[in-house]
Amino acid sequence: MDHELLDAAIIGGGPAGLSAALVLGRARKRVAVIDEGRPRNAVTRETHGFLTRDGVSPGEFRRLAKEQLEAYPSVTFVADAVVSVAGEDGRFQVATAQGATVVSRKLLFAVGMKDRPLDIPGLADVYGKSAFVCPYCDGWELRDESLVVINRGHELMHFAPLISGWTKRFAVCANGPDELTDAQREELRRHGVPVHESPIRSIDSSDGIVRQVVLEDGTAIPCRGIFFKPELTTGSDLPRAIGCEVTEAGTVVVDGFGKTTVPGVYSAGDAASRMHQAIAAASAGSMAAAAMNNELNLEAWSRNG
Ligand SMILES: Cc1cc2nc3c(=O)[nH]c(=O)nc-3n(C[C@H](O)[C@H](O)[C@H](O)COP(=O)(O)OP(=O)(O)OC[C@H]3O[C@@H](n4cnc5c(N)ncnc54)[C@H](O)[C@@H]3O)c2cc1C
């Protein structure tokens, strides 16, 4: 069966993929956005820090984006999971779980990242409601509150000064050995930051709002919020499957315009960055789309000349 050759298949319909679709749609390119609709931030109620959209829910953000994309008829949406990608620059085949096939000249992976399962009892109940990962996203709402920071080692020594910009009232739970040097422990002590190494027994909460963190040694730490370091994994194995270089952290290796190590294949947003913010993802999607559009125009120019 013959399929229409589109200009681009965008896999992932979060801020990165939708922003790329807007740029490509306005550039009159035929684009399919294929999205299974399972973003990492689905647990949260509000997205902050996106100029003009501060505080909207992730679902409302996507709804508004799709509404505005309706103005561009060359952009279509497929609500499905991509299960395989094959082919090469100029002709990629994208297959979905429900049996659809999309054929396109270029590919953009905007597949985000995923959390590994949360193994601390009670953390899943509060994640996105009073337990967060990024103070730029959710620090303002918890300013001056009593917090528990779940972290250890050199990451903790980066995070402690950072979170102190929002509140000075926080205790650290390393949930095991703190992996600190004596000098680092002394530094935290000077700043009045208690460090607990006893494993976390439970996080007590009601309606998603944490009340206290209870440790195996019986210590109960009352608090109003938690910041923790998530364990992340790549949002999809497809970039690796088609040959893209991927870092140990699971992000796709790209240049400044989202170009991967495979010709014709781009990646943008959380999937290709350590900076996980909606506005940064949208910006990267926009940059990648402009680079894809440039390649597409140059190719059409030489085909037709
Ligand atoms: C709890 C939490 C709170 C956050 N709060 C904020 C905040 O307040 N402000 C802020 O700026 N940022 C916040 N972030 C970060 C922000 O959500 C991300 O940086 C942003 O969503 C990344 O956009 P993206 O388009 O790269 O990926 P995503 O938004 O994750 O979208 C990726 C999409 O690709 C889809 N996908 C993956 N694989 C496939 C496949 N094989 N086939 C089809 N579709 C696929 C996924 O289902 C998903 O819909 C938060 C994150 C979390 C986890």
Side-chain angles (χ1 to χ4, degrees), residues 82-147:
V82 173
V83 289
S84 74
V85 289
E88 56 190 30
D89 194 10
R91 194 171 182 89
F92 293 102
Q93 294 94 33
V94 175
T96 74
Q98 290 175 40
T101 302
V102 172
V103 182
S104 64
R105 295 185 194 279
K106 306 285 172 198
L107 272 187
L108 173 64
F109 289 112
V111 290
M113 296 292 280
K114 282 184 188 150
D115 284 301
R116 289 189 193 278
L118 306 174
D119 56 2
I120 297 175
L123 185 55
D125 298 335
V126 291
Y127 185 29
K129 301 179 188 78
S130 58
F132 301 100
V133 293
C134 161
Y136 293 102
C137 301
D138 299 288
W140 170 260
E141 284 65 33
L142 292 170
R143 63 196 183 281
D144 293 329
E145 295 282 5
S146 295
L147 303 183

Side-chain angles (χ1 to χ4, degrees), residues 231-292:
E231 298 290 328
L232 296 181
T233 177
T234 178
S236 162
D237 289 331
L238 296 170
R240 209 189 304 256
I242 203 162
C244 297
E245 194 183 333
V246 174
T247 67
E248 259 182 42
T251 53
V252 183
V253 174
V254 291
D255 70 7
F257 288 92
K259 205 170 191 171
T260 71
T261 48
V262 175
V265 180
Y266 287 75
S267 184
D270 284 9
S273 167
R274 309 268 335 240
M275 177 70 181
H276 294 163
Q277 291 239 272
I279 202 159
S283 162
S286 171
M287 295 267 281
M292 290 163 82

